[in-house]
Every structure is written in C-alpha cells, then in structure tokens.
C-alpha cells in the first residue's frame, strides 16, 4: 500500500469523505489516506495525527515526499488533540483500531469536535460499543459498509449529528442498522463465524460452576439474534 494505491478498506473510507473536505485523519498510518485524497484533489486540507514518534516521522516523510507540506499538517498528538480550531475540520477519519479504542478517542477528545463533523470510523472489532457511543452522543449513523481484505473483515461506520436523532435497538447496535438490512455474503461470513464462537463460549460456560446467569442469558439472546438474521 502507498499513497498511489490505497488498501481496499482505506479506499472505501475515502469514498465516504466529501469533496473539498477539510480532513483530520487520526492514527494516520504514514498519512496514506490524506496524501492519496489530496493527490486526487478530493480534499482541500488535512491534518494527519499520530500519537507515537515513529509513525509521526513516517507521516512527515510521506507528506514531504509528495510535496504537500503546505496542504497537509502532521501533528504529534494524542487522538483528537491533533485538531486545532483554526483547521476548520469538517471530516474526521479514525481507522484500523478496535471499536473500544475509537470510542475512547472520541470520548476523550469531545472538546476538539464542534459536532458539525462527519465521522468516518473503521473499527476492526467492537463495532457495537462504538455505535452505542455514537447514539448516546446524538450522532446518527448515515451509512455503513462491510468488506473483506487479506482474510480480515472490516466495517465502516459513517455518522453525523442531524436535526433529528435516530435511535437504535440493541439488535441494530450489534449488527449495524444498514448492514442488517443489506445483508451480503461478507456479512453472512462474519456472523456465521461469530455464531460458532458464541456457541463454543456457551458450551464452556455450561461446564463452569462460576457461570453467571446474566452472562448466559445475554449470550443466548445474541445467539438467537444471529440465527434469526443469518437464516432469514
């Protein structure tokens, strides 16, 4: 992967970035996404945020190599602290992390958001907890995508604050409101695998003397939902 040929998941993330956006890419991974979008003339300005020195230096080199230092600012900062008010950011991407970590980044960096930004999030796991945070903070999920690359399945969640907040059921939080309505082979592959994992956990809990009834009930509910969705 490089700035000329993004990975499939980053290319799909880029498709959700509005034209002429002012982008903050948090955890920017060599700044591949902002550099590629700038070379495509899709965005007008970007911040690439990195919390670790090594990736920060790699991002700086990538931006400099492509002669984009006047259009992409690389900052060494923790999460959304990379965003400054003067950047006038209207789109935020956070990709390639667990949903719990993305949720933590959003929670800790709320004061660096105006609420007018589009959030484009690509969790590797823990999607439900991330959706839950978004809904709790009055974001509406406006689009989702599920894809497979290098034998790994990724989900993309796009959210904005709209005039009318759309709440989600527990089932929608788990599967994704758009993904469960537009079921495709990758979605089915993921949830067949998740079903098998939960059935194994249930079997282990059944043999445990310390199994909590609440945990078993939650597991049974999830298994029932998965069977309902993948077999419908």
């Amino acid at each position: 992967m490089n700035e000329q040929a993004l990975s499939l998941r980053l290319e799909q993330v880029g498709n959700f970035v509005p034209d002429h956006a002012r982008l903050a890419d948090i955890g920017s991974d060599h700044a591949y996404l902002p550099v590629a979008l700038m070379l495509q003339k899709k965005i007008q300005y970007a911040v690439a945020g990195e919390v670790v020195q090594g990736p920060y230096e790699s991002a700086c080199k990538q931006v400099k190599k492509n002669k984009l230092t006047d259009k992409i600012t690389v900052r060494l900062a923790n999460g959304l602290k990379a965003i400054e008010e003067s950047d006038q950011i209207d789109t935020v991407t956070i990709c390639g992390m667990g949903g719990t970590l993305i949720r933590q980044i959003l929670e800790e960096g709320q004061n660096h958001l105006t609420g007018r930004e589009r959030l484009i999030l690509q969790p590797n796991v823990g999607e439900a907890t991330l959706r839950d945070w978004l809904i709790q903070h009055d974001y509406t999920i406006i689009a989702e995508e599920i894809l497979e690359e290098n034998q790994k399945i990724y989900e993309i969640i796009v959210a904005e604050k709209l005039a009318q907040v759309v709440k989600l059921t527990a089932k929608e939080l788990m599967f994704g409101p758009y993904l469960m309505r537009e079921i495709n082979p990758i979605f089915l592959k993921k949830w067949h695998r998740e079903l098998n994992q939960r059935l194994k956990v249930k079997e282990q809990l059944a043999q445990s003397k310390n199994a909590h009834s609440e945990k078993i009930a939650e597991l049974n509910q999830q298994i029932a939902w998965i069977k309902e969705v993948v077999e419908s």
Side-chain angles (χ1 to χ4, degrees):
M1 182 175 70
N2 55 50
E3 72 280 4
Q4 302 291 345
L6 291 174
S7 65
L8 175 62
R9 68 180 179 88
L10 284 185
E11 183 181 335
Q12 296 298 83
V13 166
N15 289 339
F16 288 110
V17 175
D19 290 341
H20 313 299
R22 297 181 69 85
L23 172 70
D25 186 38
I26 306 302
S28 196
D29 185 22
H30 293 78
Y32 286 140
L33 180 62
V35 168
L37 295 179
M38 191 65 74
L39 292 175
Q40 295 167 18
K41 303 189 186 313
K42 182 166 188 179
I43 59 175
Q44 56 176 307
Y45 173 75
V47 171
E50 286 290 359
V51 70
V52 179
Q53 186 70 33
Y56 164 77
E57 292 174 358
S58 296
C60 288
K61 289 177 184 176
Q62 192 69 236
V63 171
K64 186 175 181 180
K65 182 182 84 171
N66 286 278
K67 299 180 174 60
L68 293 172
T69 52
D70 59 329
K71 295 182 177 180
I72 300 176
T73 300
V74 184
R75 292 200 181 110
L76 186 63
N78 188 6
L80 297 176
K81 291 179 181 177
I83 299 174
E84 296 179 0
E85 188 176 350
S86 59
D87 298 325
Q88 296 183 301
I89 296 301
D90 55 35
T91 306
V92 176
T93 50
I94 310 178
C95 306
M97 309 175 200
T100 301
L101 178 54
I102 296 176
R103 176 181 175 136
Q104 181 182 337
I105 289 170
L106 292 170
E107 180 68 30
E108 293 178 354
Q110 287 182 74
N111 60 334
H112 291 271
L113 296 174
T114 64
R116 296 187 293 274
E117 300 88 354
R118 169 177 289 191
L119 304 182
I120 307 170
L121 313 171
Q122 186 272 293
N124 299 333
V125 294
E127 299 87 1
T129 188
L130 181 54
R131 290 189 186 98
D132 181 58
W133 186 93
L134 291 169
I135 300 309
Q136 284 186 31
H137 291 80
D138 297 331
Y139 283 91
T140 295
I141 294 173
I142 62 169
E144 293 178 306
E145 187 164 341
I146 188 167
L147 60 108
E148 185 174 18
E149 183 175 47
N150 299 326
Q151 298 182 317
K152 292 183 180 179
I153 293 176
Y154 301 95
E155 292 186 16
I156 300 170
I157 302 169
V158 186
E160 294 180 359
K161 286 196 173 182
L162 304 179
Q164 185 173 359
V165 180
V166 178
K167 296 297 183 181
L168 300 181
T169 64
K171 192 173 176 183
E172 288 173 323
L173 289 174
M174 181 172 168
F175 295 101
Y178 288 88
L179 299 181
M180 66 184 289
R181 291 203 298 266
E182 303 165 6
I183 292 174
N184 65 26
I186 300 171
F187 178 93
L188 291 174
K189 181 177 180 178
K190 170 180 176 169
W191 286 105
H192 277 298
R193 185 178 66 195
E194 294 285 338
L195 176 60
N196 290 332
Q197 289 176 347
R198 282 166 171 79
L199 289 171
K200 287 178 183 177
V201 172
K202 181 181 176 181
E203 185 178 339
Q204 292 168 353
L205 288 175
Q207 298 171 359
S208 172
K209 295 179 180 178
N210 300 318
H212 294 286
S213 58
E214 290 181 6
K215 177 63 178 175
I216 294 174
E218 179 185 358
L219 201 56
N220 283 333
Q221 177 66 84
Q222 291 179 356
I223 289 170
W225 281 344
I226 296 171
K227 286 182 176 179
E228 180 185 332
V229 168
V230 301
E231 294 172 4
S232 61

